[in-house]
Amino acid sequence: MPGLPQHPHVETAVRYHEAVAQGAVGEELARYFDEHVVQEEFPNALFPDGVRRGLSDVLESAERGRTLLSHQRFDVHNAVAAGDQVAVEVTWSGTLAVPMGTLPAGHVLRAHIAVFLEFRDGRICAQRNYDCYARW
């Protein structure tokens, strides 16, 4: 992770985003999370009212994502760590495997994302996403 601070939580945050991009589900994904994790995605183009998830919802969402996207990628541009908290700046792209609304399969969605992670015993116990989707 050249250019990113050397911090165990930053390394975990990068590995977590890589796992999501590779389609991790079930136990492969759950290993990054504390069993009482709270994941919040603040209002954006995909979730106008935002969404709040616990671990089971996170895992279900990952399963749905595998059917919606044929490919996704996270590019981590910056990370800042302080104690058990990490802020990560990423760009995301996801290629639709199936049509979504008026968008055809094959369309590439893009977003600039700020992710704030809190860790407990090396696992993510809180995640807050601020996703800014590019116009499609």
Side-chain angles (χ1 to χ4, degrees), residues 17 39-47 51 53 74 88 90 92 110-116 127-134 136:
H17 281 88
Q39 183 190 64
E40 294 179 273
E41 192 170 333
F42 288 90
N44 59 60
L46 291 182
F47 298 101
V51 65
R53 301 176 181 104
F74 291 91
V88 184
V90 302
W92 170 84
R110 298 181 196 288
H112 300 279
I113 304 171
V115 182
F116 295 84
Q127 176 177 343
R128 292 177 308 283
N129 275 48
Y130 298 84
D131 300 351
C132 180
Y133 287 89
W136 48 68

Side-chain angles (χ1 to χ4, degrees), residues 11-12 32 35 45 52 82 115:
E11 293 170 10
T12 300
Y32 290 97
E35 65 181 312
R52 184 178 172 105
V115 182

Side-chain angles (χ1 to χ4, degrees), residues 101-115:
T102 61
L103 302 176
H107 182 83
V108 178
L109 301 170
R110 298 181 196 288
H112 300 279
I113 304 171
V115 182

Side-chain angles (χ1 to χ4, degrees), residues 53-132:
R53 301 176 181 104
L55 182 56
S56 64
D57 295 326
V58 168
L59 298 177
E60 286 175 25
S61 180
E63 289 284 352
R64 280 193 307 275
R66 286 177 66 166
T67 62
L68 181 63
L69 300 171
S70 62
H71 178 266
Q72 64 178 324
R73 175 185 172 133
F74 291 91
D75 292 311
V76 177
H77 300 289
N78 196 5
V80 178
D84 285 333
Q85 297 186 44
V86 174
V88 184
E89 178 185 7
V90 302
T91 54
W92 170 84
S93 61
T95 305
L96 292 175
V98 296
M100 183 179 84
T102 61
L103 302 176
H107 182 83
V108 178
L109 301 170
R110 298 181 196 288
H112 300 279
I113 304 171
V115 182
F116 295 84
L117 302 168
E118 294 178 29
F119 288 82
R120 182 182 308 125
D121 298 325
R123 292 179 177 221
I124 300 165
C125 63
Q127 176 177 343
R128 292 177 308 283
N129 275 48
Y130 298 84
D131 300 351
C132 180

